[in-house]
Amino acid sequence: MAISLTETAASHVAKFLTKRGKGVGLRLGVRTTGCSGLAYKLEYADDVRPEDHQFQSHGVTVIVDPKSMPYLDGTELDFTREGLNEGFKFNNPNVKDECGCGESFNV
């Protein structure tokens, strides 16, 4: 089981954690929602729970709860800029289908 960040994503997260002044890493998860069933959750983590999975990627700690892990295993998180738009992009090998708007997926 593994979750990774690209160098670009890790750099972006590290900068925001420093600017924020607190936090132990980035928490990834999934929630039930949308037209395809699941959507990604992404937030800065201030703590690690005993049941959480932790991964180190380019100096950044990535934290995933046990319920989300089967859906996220093997995922690489990237940070992209296209024109005026920028944001995180999930490269998830488990995704079988995505909704038209790209906000939700199923496995």
Side-chain angles (χ1 to χ4, degrees):
M1 288 200 232
I3 307 290
S4 63
L5 303 176
T6 63
E7 286 187 48
T8 305
S11 175
H12 184 77
V13 170
K15 285 178 191 173
F16 267 86
L17 284 171
T18 300
K19 184 177 179 181
R20 190 171 176 252
K22 64 179 181 174
V24 296
L26 184 67
R27 182 176 295 280
L28 301 181
V30 296
R31 59 186 165 90
T32 304
T33 189
C35 47
S36 289
L38 298 169
Y40 296 109
K41 293 189 305 185
L42 182 71
E43 61 190 11
Y44 294 104
D46 292 329
D47 62 351
V48 179
R49 299 174 197 123
E51 68 274 10
D52 286 337
H53 297 274
Q54 293 183 64
F55 304 94
Q56 294 295 320
S57 187
H58 300 286
V60 173
T61 301
V62 179
I63 302 160
V64 180
D65 66 270
K67 290 182 181 178
S68 297
M69 194 63 219
Y71 303 106
L72 297 175
D73 187 25
T75 296
E76 178 187 62
L77 185 63
D78 194 8
F79 187 80
T80 61
R81 289 190 174 109
E82 295 176 10
L84 297 175
N85 298 318
E86 65 180 19
F88 288 102
K89 180 180 178 189
F90 289 81
N91 299 313
N92 185 343
N94 304 303
V95 172
K96 303 289 185 237
D97 194 27
E98 293 180 314
C99 69
C101 64
E103 293 296 319
S104 64
F105 66 97
N106 66 40
V107 294

